[in-house]
Amino acid sequence: MIRTADLVSIARSGVEASNQLLSTTGNNIANVNTDGYVRERTSFVAQLTGGVGQYTTERVMNTFAQNQLRRDTTNLAEHEAYWTKTAVLDNVFASEANSISASMSRFFASLQTANDDPTNMSARQLVLGDAESMLGQMGTLSTFLTNKEREINFEFTDSLNKVNSLVESIASFNESIRIAQANNRHDVPGALMNERDAAVLELSSLVSIETRESSNNDGSIMINLTSGESLVMQDGTFSVFEVNNSADLSYKSLQLTSNGKPTSLNLSETELGGTIGGLFRYRDEVLEPSRRELGQIALAVTEAVNTQNRAGMDFDQQLGGEIFTRPITTGLNYPTNADNTSIVNGRISKGGASDITSADYHVTIDGVTAGVPPTIDVTVALLNIDGSPVTDVDGVPISQSYPGLTAQSGVFSEVLGGMELEFSKGTGYAVGDQFLLQPTKDVADKIEVFTTRPEDLALASPIRVEAGDDNLGGAELVSTTVTNTFVDTSPFDARSSGFDGAGGIHAPGAAPGGGVGAPASVRFNSATEYEVLDSAGTIITTVSGISSLDNLLAQAADTPGWPAAFDALDNYPGYDFTLQGEPKAGDTFAIGYNANGLNDNRNGLIMANLQNVNGMQLNNAGSGDPVSFHEAYANIVGDIGQKAANADIAVKAGEALKLQSKDWFDSVSGVSLDEEAANLVRFQQSYAASARLLNTAQEMFDTILSMVR
């Protein structure tokens, strides 16, 4: 090819090119220890007229390696955040010093000791002391978990502020890079791009993102969340994270808000990835379930003991009462409610220990009817921690409508899931009002020992069954059962039992219906037939053709002669007994109040055995086999331990993957001193050669001038 450039121009372009190459190499060497620095490379094109043409300096980058490093950074950050938090809970729950199971065992062991001598006040007092200790242990753990929730909410706020700051910085870097590249199309603004990449890498440690270059080819990049939502747009606008809550202000949820458009998008926290995603996973999979399951155990244990104590007779020979308080949970108002001062209260119902789950309760007001008292129609639905509906085994959301509930202060109405609700606002509710109740979330540190009197422990059974002195048969008492001791007078509440509350059972005329009294004796006519009589000897009903002596009063309740007034009640008379052997005609068994039965421990034995009874729901749907209190707590400890172990493995795997991708990225974009040293020698030689060529051209020019002279 014919060149028209002179030798001086060619030599000068060579010197300038070598000088630029040396500058690029020197810059690489100088930044060998600069974090986030990407090595640069200068390339040239030859001019058709001769010499070196325009140069271009660009960063040496493998986009695939960079994206892989960002993905592995996201993955590792998520697992580290999840594991760090979960490991703390694992250490706390696995510690013997913090074991709820051990404190429950001590409580039930002291109950067993009290049963050995029911008249020993010291042994009874020890039961109350161990009850305080058990609740104290539960309360300590509950408070610890509550503090962890506050702590993680602070971390959410701090991390979201970092994300928003980084997103804004990246958008600002994009603008600066656009301007720099517009002013110099042949020299990339490497320093700005490195700073932007460092910000993007830090952002990837907080949330999972994807990047792509702008279609304008102006050096800017766009950033989306992996789930698709845009953070940095091509037009320069960007989105920031905001906290969004419905009813529970302590349960953070997220949405994106754009600075360029008045729109907001709700985000799925489980898809965020990075540190923030790991924190949300820890909250939803470990922290919140543990809090609620601990509260469920606390409610189940205390109400099971309360229920059994109510079924007994205390040392004062009165029907047993509450040993533990039933804390009240106030429903949280939704922002759309007509009146944010409206209140819905909830508490575990009497006998609800086996029905309570760790689910939240969503209450919707369907109708309000004025009256004295006013009534209210509501729908109650069970919710998971994340607000999704609890479903049954067929996948159908669990909810139930309750029309005509009394809306009056002090009146609780039983609903599904072992709960009862109080609508104290009366007619002050509006159709469409919604409330969120979380009865197990913070309850473990609110339960208290209700009584300080050891005499209130109802270790004795309130019922005594005695065989007649003239009995000729071989039938003998096996067991007595008491399932209801609710005391009421006319007009009778549906919950009423056969106990009169005055140390006896209903006499004729005082029982429901006003006729016969509560069952007071059983008289056999033959081995297969018996009569049930009241305290006046009046026959209540006759049971024929029996094949078993189990629960004789329950069998009598299925006969046509059983009074309709008894049948109208939920559980009347609330006591029963079982015999074994073969009775003879004329054999009698008298049923009466257990007056002076201070040495009796029948109810106390049942109470002490509650720890071995499978009486707790294992899941929110109430499906599957129930478990004991100890098994429920072991499930919490085991679940946290398993998640901590899995997270530890995930962290180690993530570290290996990130190291591998970092090595790959550095092998392409990192500064190699050996390579740069070789380039330095090569470019020095080319510089020297070009300078020599320039000197030769000058000498030739001088020679030509001298010849002309």
Side-chain angles (χ1 to χ4, degrees), residues 425-705:
K425 191 75 172 179
T427 57
Y429 302 98
V431 174
D433 283 355
Q434 301 176 79
F435 302 88
L436 178 68
L437 282 89
Q438 301 169 316
T440 61
K441 182 176 179 179
D442 295 315
V443 75
D445 58 351
K446 295 181 175 62
I447 304 174
E448 299 176 348
V449 177
F450 180 71
T451 181
T452 58
R453 299 179 70 249
E455 292 88 351
D456 289 340
L457 286 176
L459 302 181
S461 172
I463 285 296
R464 177 187 297 164
V465 177
E466 296 179 326
D469 294 336
D470 299 329
N471 285 4
L472 299 175
E476 59 184 19
L477 181 68
V478 174
S479 64
T480 60
T481 56
V482 178
T483 55
N484 183 19
T485 58
F486 186 81
V487 175
D488 197 17
T489 56
S490 182
F492 282 92
D493 190 293
R495 297 170 292 173
S496 181
S497 70
F499 295 96
D500 61 12
I505 59 177
H506 287 150
V516 296
S521 66
V522 167
R523 181 172 62 206
F524 283 89
N525 297 328
S526 69
T528 59
E529 181 180 284
Y530 63 90
E531 299 167 336
V532 180
L533 302 87
D534 65 11
S535 59
T538 303
I539 297 175
I540 298 175
T541 188
T542 301
V543 184
S544 303
I546 64 172
S547 59
S548 168
L549 299 179
D550 293 340
N551 300 318
L552 297 180
L553 298 185
Q555 293 187 55
D558 292 332
T559 63
W562 191 254
F566 292 1
D567 251 343
L569 305 182
D570 295 337
N571 183 8
Y572 191 89
Y575 52 82
D576 209 338
F577 66 101
T578 295
L579 303 176
Q580 68 177 8
E582 185 174 346
K584 297 290 187 181
D587 286 357
T588 61
F589 291 86
I591 309 168
Y593 196 77
N594 191 19
N596 298 318
L598 301 182
N599 284 314
D600 184 6
N601 65 357
R602 285 175 293 162
N603 194 59
L605 291 174
I606 298 174
M607 203 183 305
N609 192 54
L610 287 175
Q611 66 174 328
N612 301 318
V613 175
N614 294 333
M616 271 195 65
Q617 298 293 339
L618 188 58
N619 56 57
N620 289 343
S623 59
D625 296 330
V627 297
S628 68
F629 307 135
H630 292 289
E631 287 177 299
Y633 183 72
N635 283 333
I636 298 178
V637 177
D639 186 53
I640 295 175
Q642 180 185 13
K643 288 174 179 175
N646 291 342
D648 186 29
I649 295 172
V651 168
K652 290 182 172 62
E655 288 173 342
L657 289 174
K658 183 181 178 182
L659 179 61
Q660 184 177 8
S661 60
K662 184 69 166 59
D663 290 342
W664 180 23
F665 178 79
D666 288 343
S667 68
V668 176
S669 301
V671 176
S672 170
L673 287 179
D674 291 339
E675 181 180 352
E676 298 302 330
N679 287 338
L680 188 62
V681 172
R682 184 159 60 93
F683 299 150
Q684 284 177 327
Q685 291 175 341
S686 67
Y687 185 92
S690 296
R692 179 60 181 163
L693 180 60
L694 182 61
N695 186 56
T696 300
Q698 183 64 45
E699 290 178 353
M700 291 176 62
F701 182 72
D702 290 342
T703 301
I704 293 172
L705 286 178

Side-chain angles (χ1 to χ4, degrees), residues 148-329:
K148 285 299 175 184
E149 181 190 45
R150 295 194 186 100
E151 176 185 300
I152 199 172
N153 283 337
F154 285 131
E155 291 191 49
F156 282 145
T157 301
D158 183 59
S159 297
L160 292 176
N161 288 338
K162 287 182 180 178
V163 168
N164 292 337
S165 176
L166 288 170
V167 167
E168 189 171 356
S169 295
I170 292 169
S172 177
F173 279 129
N174 275 344
E175 182 63 25
S176 298
I177 289 170
R178 287 192 195 99
I179 295 173
Q181 287 211 168
N183 293 333
N184 185 356
R185 303 295 299 175
H186 301 289
D187 196 354
V188 297
L192 287 173
M193 289 184 168
N194 289 341
E195 288 188 61
R196 184 185 63 186
D197 285 350
V200 172
L201 185 62
E202 185 178 357
L203 179 63
S204 71
S205 71
L206 295 170
V207 290
S208 179
I209 59 173
E210 293 178 351
T211 64
R212 64 184 189 275
E213 293 184 359
S214 171
S215 59
N216 295 332
N217 197 28
D218 56 5
S220 62
I221 60 174
M222 294 175 289
I223 299 179
N224 296 338
L225 292 174
T226 304
S227 53
E229 295 83 1
S230 296
L231 293 181
V232 179
M233 277 73 81
Q234 182 167 302
D235 61 1
T237 58
F238 57 90
S239 299
V240 294
F241 286 90
E242 290 186 353
V243 174
N244 177 42
N245 301 97
S246 53
D248 187 359
L249 298 180
S250 65
Y251 188 83
K252 305 298 184 184
S253 56
L254 298 180
Q255 63 179 197
L256 274 181
T257 302
S258 173
N259 75 325
K261 302 175 182 178
T263 58
S264 297
L265 293 174
N266 292 327
L267 297 177
S268 174
E269 294 88 2
T270 57
E271 299 179 2
L272 281 176
T275 296
I276 295 178
L279 292 176
F280 273 111
R281 276 186 55 214
Y282 156 74
R283 183 197 66 179
D284 294 345
E285 296 179 9
V286 183
L287 179 60
E288 291 300 328
S290 300
R291 295 178 70 189
R292 285 165 170 78
E293 288 166 10
L294 178 63
Q296 180 191 3
I297 292 174
L299 286 176
V301 170
T302 54
E303 181 50 35
V305 173
N306 277 347
T307 299
Q308 197 58 52
N309 201 70
R310 289 192 296 266
M313 183 184 76
D314 63 22
F315 198 76
D316 297 324
Q317 302 184 56
Q318 298 176 351
L319 293 173
E322 307 274 298
I323 298 298
F324 302 98
T325 60
R326 289 187 294 152
I328 292 178
T329 300

